[in-house]
Amino acid sequence: MRALDFDYMFGLVPILLSYVPLTLGMAAVSMVMALVLASLMAVVRVVNVPVLDGFTRFFISFFRGTPLLVQLFLFYYGLPQVMSFLTAINGVTAAIMGLTLHFAAYMAESIRAAILGVDRSQWEASMSVGMTTTQMMRRIILPQAARVAAPTLVNYFIDMIKGTSLAFTLGVTELMGATQKEAAGSFLYFEAFIIVALIYWAIVETLTLFQRRLETRLGKAHAR
Amino acid sequence: MRKFILAAALAAASATSALADTVTVGMSGGYFPFTFVKQDKLQGFEVDFINAVAEETGDEIKFETMSFSGLVGALEAGRIDTIANQITITEERQAKFAFTQPYVIDGAQVVVKKGNESEITGPEDLKGRTVAVNLGSNFEQLLRELPYADEVDIKTYESNLAQETALGRVDAFVMDRVSAAQTIKESPLPLALAGERFSEIRNALPFRDDEEGRALRDRFDAAITTLKENGKLAEISQKWFGTDITK
């Protein structure tokens, strides 16, 4: 056993914290885009839109069926070899693309399940008052599905935050990349990795507080 | 798909188009003392070396750090112009890239946990052992070329070889001699050199083997010659290693 280098640990905190905005930024942008994409795909699948439904199935199958790291390497290193103009995609963009497409595939399935979970009577009631499918989805079904899907979607967001650590393989020095480099310079692995673990943990705990408030808000109509 | 196109368009718009005189140099930033970070500052032998070269050529340098395993792919994809991360000249790499003259001459070194150096005294003692090497490094190739390679359990890592060996998860790791010696000196890990260095390693800067890459190579190569002649290269080596590893 050796004594921990606390001075080093405290010194590392502000350095690593300066990478949090990049990490959270990548995750947040990916989350918003993935949410839009996933909702569209879920609706396409539930309503069974011809042609698009087949494409969506294929999309979900591919992005759920291959590891995120493979997808990132494909966008960043692979595609530019075939289409050279794609070299213009920088590491941050490639990471955001990868996270968006990968998590959209998962989230589409969650949202689809949530939509199907909305009681059939709600669909029938909407149709009986003459709503179009789009109106029904937007006003009646999706708001109810959102409540069911919310905890799972927050889970995916947490995964996404942690998934940004793969961006270092694409030359993006984010939170984990910065930690790895600092550890390589100091050889104080425990100190460096425990600090980064605490930072990730703090981020996720903050998010959990937000999740509780979101659930309360979405659940208002169902409060007893 | 619309998102995909949108993202691609966004990226194209925001991408920094490389200026003609900006040379992008890739390195891992995690290979002490060649390239590492302390207090958020990228430094090391390779950083000083490249800056000295750029002073000669007049080029603007942009350092890009990424996992070691991504470096060669990034060079091929045109994302970086060269790699300054102790890249060893091998036949395979020479067929693919245009190299400068070597600027570091070194050997491979077996490193073990302190106390095991009397038991493992060189590469021949690696028979039946587990040995760690950096993923994509030349040392993996070197181990696979040993006549008894099939009896050596080679494990490849992205980083943290020294830690793995100190923890006893592997019996040894193989790295270049200078980094190994420096790691033992600077880190608190209980490690020891096992025997002498083996096989000569020559490190150089690889460039893409096209017209532009070769022109850049010639410019950098001329600068290295100057730095060797005026003693600047030896000086940088002394600063980081306390010895001249450039001859």
Side-chain angles (χ1 to χ4, degrees), chain A residues 19 76 88-89 173 181-182 189, chain B residues 11 15 39-40 65 79 160:
Chain A
Y19 289 92
Y76 193 68
I89 299 180
T173 302
K181 287 195 282 182
E182 293 286 347
Y189 299 100
Chain B
Q39 300 286 304
D40 220 13
T65 50
R79 298 192 172 280
N160 309 340

Side-chain angles (χ1 to χ4, degrees), chain A residues 12-70:
Chain A
L12 211 50
V13 173
I15 294 174
L16 294 187
L17 281 181
S18 69
Y19 289 92
V20 169
L22 175 64
T23 288
L24 277 184
M26 284 197 292
V29 173
S30 309
M31 184 67 185
V32 172
M33 299 205 305
L35 211 51
V36 175
L37 189 59
S39 307
L40 288 176
M41 290 196 296
V43 172
V44 162
R45 292 223 49 206
V46 170
V47 185
N48 245 322
V49 183
V51 189
L52 276 183
D53 186 53
F55 178 75
T56 303
R57 272 168 195 269
F58 172 76
F59 177 94
I60 292 175
S61 161
F62 179 78
F63 283 97
R64 272 206 317 181
T66 52
L68 178 55
L69 188 59
V70 172

Side-chain angles (χ1 to χ4, degrees), chain A residues 15 19 33 37 75-77 80-81 86-90 93 97 101 168-169 171 173 180-182 184-185 187 189 193, chain B residues 3-4 7 11 15 28-30 32 36-40 65-67 70 73-74 76-77 79 159-160 163 183 187-188:
Chain A
I15 294 174
Y19 289 92
M33 299 205 305
L37 189 59
F75 293 136
Y76 193 68
Y77 298 118
Q81 277 200 331
L86 286 175
T87 313
I89 299 180
N90 59 23
T93 315
M97 269 168 57
L101 301 178
F168 188 44
T169 51
T173 302
Q180 277 185 288
K181 287 195 282 182
E182 293 286 347
F187 295 99
Y189 299 100
F193 294 139
Chain B
K3 284 283 137 201
F4 180 91
S28 70
F32 185 85
F36 65 101
V37 168
K38 222 170 207 163
Q39 300 286 304
D40 220 13
T65 50
M66 65 184 79
S67 290
E76 275 186 82
R79 298 192 172 280
S159 53
N160 309 340
Q163 176 80 337
T183 302
S187 83

Side-chain angles (χ1 to χ4, degrees), chain B residues 54-124:
Chain B
E55 226 168 90
E56 294 296 327
T57 62
D59 287 305
E60 192 89 33
I61 297 290
K62 195 168 144 245
F63 290 110
E64 284 261 8
T65 50
M66 65 184 79
S67 290
F68 186 76
S69 52
L71 285 170
V72 173
L75 177 60
E76 275 186 82
R79 298 192 172 280
I80 54 177
D81 297 312
T82 186
I83 307 170
N85 203 101
Q86 251 212 322
I87 299 299
T88 300
I89 305 174
T90 63
E91 268 175 48
E92 292 85 357
R93 286 177 182 160
Q94 224 158 2
K96 196 148 200 163
F97 299 112
F99 275 97
T100 60
Q101 60 183 298
Y103 61 93
V104 166
I105 295 172
D106 194 19
Q109 176 71 47
V110 180
V111 183
V112 294
K113 191 175 173 176
K114 210 178 182 114
N116 291 348
E117 64 267 31
S118 53
E119 214 177 304
I120 301 176
T121 58
E124 52 289 339

Side-chain angles (χ1 to χ4, degrees), chain B residues 155-167:
Chain B
K155 282 181 88 171
T156 50
Y157 288 86
E158 279 280 343
S159 53
N160 309 340
L161 299 179
Q163 176 80 337
E164 284 293 278
T165 310
L167 290 174

